[in-house]
Amino acid sequence: MAHYLVVRLSAIGDVAMTIPVLYAVAKAYPQHSFTLLTQPFLTSLLIDPPSNLEGMGIDIKHEESSLPGLLTYIGRLKEERFDYVIDLHNVLRSRIIRTYLRFFGVKSFHLKKPRRQLRRLTARPPKQLRPLTSVIDRYAQVFAQAGLDIRPPYPIIFDGTDNTNAELSIVEIGSGHHLVGIAPFAGHAPKTYPIEKMREVVRGLSEREDIQIFLFGGKGKERKILEQWAEELPRVVSVAGMLSLPQELSLIRSLRCMVSMDSANMHFASLVGTRVISVWCATHPAAGFLGYGQRPDDCMGVELDCRPCSVFGKKPCYRKDYACHNIEPQTIIDKIVFTLTDSISDETEN
């Protein structure tokens, strides 16, 4: 029996993408034990995990953000007597962790990032759009290097049964026949569909009496915007800032579909097997960050020779016109309506 330390410190969506692979490995190798090292609030993603998998929190925002704090924390890690480190992040902090533990005989395996291919993918035109290996598959390759070979399909949370005890703090979730989630925000403006256009999408859907809409977002400014939409439009409920992560996942699982940017909400929906209509502006699924199990034909974006201009959507538009934002709201509405009909057909066939 061996004890594996699996390191993925951030970001939220990337940690979410580790879960299907991690659950698959833990279930395939019950003789070993696995510990996911990540930020404390992200350990709540481990819902109904295999018995040989647990989470461990590291506060990289505060206590362990400095080098002395990190080294003190690593000293405590040494006492856990890990046999191997699986580094799925391969950043300075994770490299320090695995290098320190190597002095005590802990062997490590780490993610190899396709930096050269990503630079080619995000270069200015002319260029060729060559899809990269998905991040999920890259994670699986690291485990394979450690002798832990797995094959898809990978498990999802709440697979077959709802094992969460979360009680949603929503008195009435509405009487619409179709529950649709919309998460209009992303971490960076270049990969975020213009908020005024997304309001038009919400308004158009709210005119249909057979659709109930849930708006997802963070606290502060996002919550204020979404609550205003909910007040102004029928059959629209904002849950921004209201739910814990397990509660949010439980609600997302009940949706017919989720509409999301290239953001964490796409990966949350993927964790629970909910179909996602993903809106890609400056970024592109060819970089390998499409949610696990999602369909490429559910990805919406403008065909431009400059896309993607960055991997994570941080770079400002060098053209200055943000042409990648020019998706008509009605096009998104039509795609959602078609998806709702399509999902009913799938259920009828099954």
Short mmCIF file of all heavy atoms in Angstrom, two decimals, residues 154-177:
data_model
loop_
_atom_site.label_atom_id
_atom_site.label_comp_id
_atom_site.label_asym_id
_atom_site.label_seq_id
_atom_site.Cartn_x
_atom_site.Cartn_y
_atom_site.Cartn_z
N TYR A 154 -14.66 8.48 -16.96
CA TYR A 154 -14.36 8.72 -15.56
C TYR A 154 -15.66 9.02 -14.81
O TYR A 154 -16.63 9.49 -15.39
CB TYR A 154 -13.40 9.91 -15.43
CG TYR A 154 -12.14 9.77 -16.25
CD1 TYR A 154 -11.72 10.77 -17.11
CD2 TYR A 154 -11.36 8.62 -16.15
CE1 TYR A 154 -10.56 10.63 -17.86
CE2 TYR A 154 -10.20 8.47 -16.90
CZ TYR A 154 -9.80 9.49 -17.76
OH TYR A 154 -8.67 9.35 -18.51
N PRO A 155 -15.69 8.74 -13.52
CA PRO A 155 -16.93 8.95 -12.75
C PRO A 155 -17.25 10.42 -12.55
O PRO A 155 -16.38 11.29 -12.64
CB PRO A 155 -16.62 8.27 -11.41
CG PRO A 155 -15.14 8.30 -11.29
CD PRO A 155 -14.61 8.18 -12.69
N ILE A 156 -18.53 10.71 -12.31
CA ILE A 156 -18.98 12.05 -11.97
C ILE A 156 -19.56 12.04 -10.57
O ILE A 156 -19.87 10.99 -10.01
CB ILE A 156 -20.04 12.56 -12.97
CG1 ILE A 156 -21.26 11.63 -12.99
CG2 ILE A 156 -19.46 12.71 -14.37
CD1 ILE A 156 -22.40 12.14 -13.85
N ILE A 157 -19.69 13.21 -9.98
CA ILE A 157 -20.30 13.34 -8.66
C ILE A 157 -21.80 13.08 -8.78
O ILE A 157 -22.42 13.42 -9.78
CB ILE A 157 -20.04 14.74 -8.09
CG1 ILE A 157 -18.54 14.94 -7.84
CG2 ILE A 157 -20.80 14.96 -6.79
CD1 ILE A 157 -18.18 16.33 -7.38
N PHE A 158 -22.39 12.49 -7.72
CA PHE A 158 -23.82 12.16 -7.71
C PHE A 158 -24.16 11.20 -8.85
O PHE A 158 -25.20 11.32 -9.48
CB PHE A 158 -24.71 13.41 -7.85
CG PHE A 158 -24.43 14.50 -6.87
CD1 PHE A 158 -24.53 15.82 -7.25
CD2 PHE A 158 -24.09 14.22 -5.56
CE1 PHE A 158 -24.30 16.86 -6.35
CE2 PHE A 158 -23.85 15.24 -4.66
CZ PHE A 158 -23.95 16.56 -5.06
N ASP A 159 -23.28 10.28 -9.16
CA ASP A 159 -23.49 9.37 -10.28
C ASP A 159 -24.53 8.33 -9.91
O ASP A 159 -24.23 7.33 -9.27
CB ASP A 159 -22.17 8.69 -10.67
CG ASP A 159 -22.28 7.92 -11.97
OD1 ASP A 159 -23.32 8.05 -12.62
OD2 ASP A 159 -21.33 7.21 -12.32
N GLY A 160 -25.78 8.58 -10.31
CA GLY A 160 -26.85 7.63 -10.05
C GLY A 160 -27.66 7.93 -8.82
O GLY A 160 -28.86 7.74 -8.79
N THR A 161 -27.04 8.43 -7.76
CA THR A 161 -27.77 8.75 -6.54
C THR A 161 -27.28 10.08 -6.00
O THR A 161 -26.14 10.48 -6.21
CB THR A 161 -27.53 7.68 -5.44
OG1 THR A 161 -26.12 7.57 -5.20
CG2 THR A 161 -28.08 6.33 -5.88
N ASP A 162 -28.18 10.78 -5.31
CA ASP A 162 -27.83 12.06 -4.71
C ASP A 162 -27.40 11.81 -3.28
O ASP A 162 -28.22 11.55 -2.41
CB ASP A 162 -29.05 13.00 -4.77
CG ASP A 162 -28.66 14.42 -4.39
OD1 ASP A 162 -27.57 14.59 -3.83
OD2 ASP A 162 -29.46 15.34 -4.67
N ASN A 163 -26.10 11.89 -3.01
CA ASN A 163 -25.58 11.58 -1.69
C ASN A 163 -25.26 12.81 -0.87
O ASN A 163 -24.61 12.73 0.16
CB ASN A 163 -24.31 10.73 -1.84
CG ASN A 163 -24.61 9.36 -2.40
OD1 ASN A 163 -25.44 8.65 -1.87
ND2 ASN A 163 -23.95 9.00 -3.48
N THR A 164 -25.68 13.97 -1.33
CA THR A 164 -25.43 15.17 -0.56
C THR A 164 -26.56 15.43 0.43
O THR A 164 -27.71 15.11 0.18
CB THR A 164 -25.27 16.39 -1.48
OG1 THR A 164 -24.99 17.53 -0.66
CG2 THR A 164 -26.54 16.67 -2.27
N ASN A 165 -26.19 15.99 1.57
CA ASN A 165 -27.19 16.37 2.57
C ASN A 165 -27.55 17.84 2.46
O ASN A 165 -28.24 18.38 3.33
CB ASN A 165 -26.63 16.08 3.98
CG ASN A 165 -26.47 14.60 4.21
OD1 ASN A 165 -27.30 13.81 3.79
ND2 ASN A 165 -25.38 14.21 4.88
N ALA A 166 -27.05 18.49 1.41
CA ALA A 166 -27.29 19.93 1.26
C ALA A 166 -28.77 20.22 1.08
O ALA A 166 -29.46 19.60 0.29
CB ALA A 166 -26.52 20.46 0.06
N GLU A 167 -29.25 21.17 1.86
CA GLU A 167 -30.61 21.65 1.72
C GLU A 167 -30.55 23.02 1.04
O GLU A 167 -30.01 23.97 1.59
CB GLU A 167 -31.28 21.77 3.10
CG GLU A 167 -31.51 20.44 3.79
CD GLU A 167 -32.53 19.57 3.04
OE1 GLU A 167 -33.38 20.13 2.33
OE2 GLU A 167 -32.45 18.34 3.17
N LEU A 168 -31.07 23.11 -0.16
CA LEU A 168 -31.00 24.36 -0.89
C LEU A 168 -31.80 25.44 -0.18
O LEU A 168 -32.95 25.21 0.22
CB LEU A 168 -31.52 24.17 -2.32
CG LEU A 168 -30.75 23.18 -3.18
CD1 LEU A 168 -31.38 23.10 -4.56
CD2 LEU A 168 -29.30 23.56 -3.29
N SER A 169 -31.18 26.61 -0.05
CA SER A 169 -31.84 27.72 0.64
C SER A 169 -32.72 28.49 -0.33
O SER A 169 -32.67 29.71 -0.42
CB SER A 169 -30.78 28.64 1.26
OG SER A 169 -29.87 29.07 0.28
N ILE A 170 -33.53 27.77 -1.09
CA ILE A 170 -34.47 28.37 -2.03
C ILE A 170 -35.85 27.79 -1.71
O ILE A 170 -36.05 26.58 -1.79
CB ILE A 170 -34.10 28.05 -3.48
CG1 ILE A 170 -32.68 28.53 -3.78
CG2 ILE A 170 -35.08 28.69 -4.45
CD1 ILE A 170 -32.17 28.06 -5.11
N VAL A 171 -36.77 28.64 -1.33
CA VAL A 171 -38.08 28.15 -0.92
C VAL A 171 -38.83 27.53 -2.08
O VAL A 171 -39.41 26.46 -1.97
CB VAL A 171 -38.91 29.31 -0.30
CG1 VAL A 171 -40.31 28.83 0.02
CG2 VAL A 171 -38.22 29.86 0.93
N GLU A 172 -38.79 28.19 -3.21
CA GLU A 172 -39.54 27.72 -4.37
C GLU A 172 -38.66 27.84 -5.59
O GLU A 172 -38.17 28.91 -5.93
CB GLU A 172 -40.80 28.57 -4.57
CG GLU A 172 -41.61 28.21 -5.80
CD GLU A 172 -42.10 26.77 -5.77
OE1 GLU A 172 -42.73 26.39 -4.78
OE2 GLU A 172 -41.85 26.04 -6.75
N ILE A 173 -38.38 26.72 -6.25
CA ILE A 173 -37.47 26.77 -7.41
C ILE A 173 -38.23 26.98 -8.71
O ILE A 173 -37.66 26.94 -9.78
CB ILE A 173 -36.60 25.51 -7.51
CG1 ILE A 173 -37.45 24.26 -7.78
CG2 ILE A 173 -35.74 25.34 -6.29
CD1 ILE A 173 -36.63 23.04 -8.14
N GLY A 174 -39.50 27.22 -8.63
CA GLY A 174 -40.24 27.58 -9.83
C GLY A 174 -41.00 26.42 -10.42
O GLY A 174 -40.75 25.26 -10.13
N SER A 175 -41.94 26.74 -11.29
CA SER A 175 -42.82 25.72 -11.87
C SER A 175 -42.54 25.49 -13.34
O SER A 175 -43.30 24.83 -14.02
CB SER A 175 -44.28 26.16 -11.71
OG SER A 175 -44.48 27.43 -12.32
N GLY A 176 -41.42 26.05 -13.86
CA GLY A 176 -41.09 25.86 -15.27
C GLY A 176 -40.77 24.41 -15.56
O GLY A 176 -40.24 23.68 -14.73
N HIS A 177 -41.10 23.99 -16.77
CA HIS A 177 -40.82 22.60 -17.15
C HIS A 177 -39.33 22.36 -17.34
O HIS A 177 -38.84 21.27 -17.09
CB HIS A 177 -41.56 22.27 -18.44
CG HIS A 177 -43.04 22.39 -18.34
ND1 HIS A 177 -43.79 21.59 -17.49
CD2 HIS A 177 -43.92 23.21 -18.95
CE1 HIS A 177 -45.06 21.91 -17.61
NE2 HIS A 177 -45.17 22.89 -18.49
#
